[in-house]
Amino acid sequence: MKVLINNGFIKEPVAATIGMFDGVHKGHRYILSHLKAQANKRNLKTAVITFSRHPQSVLHGYAEESLMTLDDRISAIGESGIDYVVVMDFTKELSLLTAQQFLQLLYKRYYVKLLITGYDHRFGHNRKETYNDYVKYGKEIGMDVVKCDEYTTGNEKISSSEIRRLITEGNVKTAAEMLQRPYKISGEVVDGFRNGRKIGFPTANIKTDRNIIIPSNGVYAVTVNLNDGDIKKGMLNIGIRPTFDNGKNRSVEVNIFDFSEKIYGKQIEIMFYDRIRNERKMQSLEELEKQLENDRITAKEILKNYQL
């Protein structure tokens, strides 16, 4: 797969689709599958056109936190067997283009001969034009514009915003079903309060990407990728450590099972499988220690259900 970031041209005709693809969830994968099928019929290479930042951050100065980093988004799109990923910088100038001008840009710069749009995707300044307008503009420049059917499965509603809501509520299990993989965050292991070490549950304190959604406060069953192919099971707490009265700053701390190495300064990845309980204040360190032991048993039982 070839990645073009903010520059470059595609010199061979491609079938393309466009969008943020935040999370690269079931609905996105359905579009990518449709894109590949249509491209194969026409003997075209495939391209996904996405943006380095959400258009809302340019248009309104604010955008929701993301489900994944740009690098993870590119990697996940690549797993679908796409030939090109084009990362455009969404600018004020780009936002002022009409739908017709934008299609012309896609054709001239990336040689898009076939554009697959989502069932409700709209683009162009003020988004006044309809899908029929897109088809008309495309024909004028030699581009076919085809709408992809909506992805449906029973009553399940799948969208990036719905997955964000689930994660914000701590429902990482349902979110994982929509993503078709566990929700993941990553960050650097930094020095913390070292409270857990005092009661036999040492934790790695994670400094996370501030633009990525962090699940709600509570205890979770997780796995930890130490970025050297070594996957460990563990349990993770998100919250303010009320038993220790360490203040109001939110922390993300993981207790890695059967692991005692020092990993300060390392980048690690955390995969969420299920939520165990809410964070709550214990009346004593002994009560906390007993609760953490129960949490560890629960986490291990949860993780038994997955092929890890």
Side-chain angles (χ1 to χ4, degrees), residues 140 158 190 227 256 295:
E140 292 173 354
I158 297 179
V190 296
N227 285 339
I256 306 173
D295 293 340

Side-chain angles (χ1 to χ4, degrees), residues 22 30 33 48 76 84 91 105-106 130 132 138 151 171 174 211 234 287 296:
D22 188 26
Y30 175 74
S33 177
V48 170
Y84 292 93
T91 62
L105 182 152
L106 297 183
T130 66
N132 289 333
Y151 175 78
N171 191 349
T174 301
N211 295 316
E287 182 185 357
R296 179 158 55 188

Side-chain angles (χ1 to χ4, degrees), residues 93-105:
E93 291 73 22
L94 190 66
S95 74
L96 294 175
L97 295 181
T98 65
Q100 185 176 26
Q101 291 170 328
F102 186 65
L103 290 176
Q104 290 172 342
L105 182 152

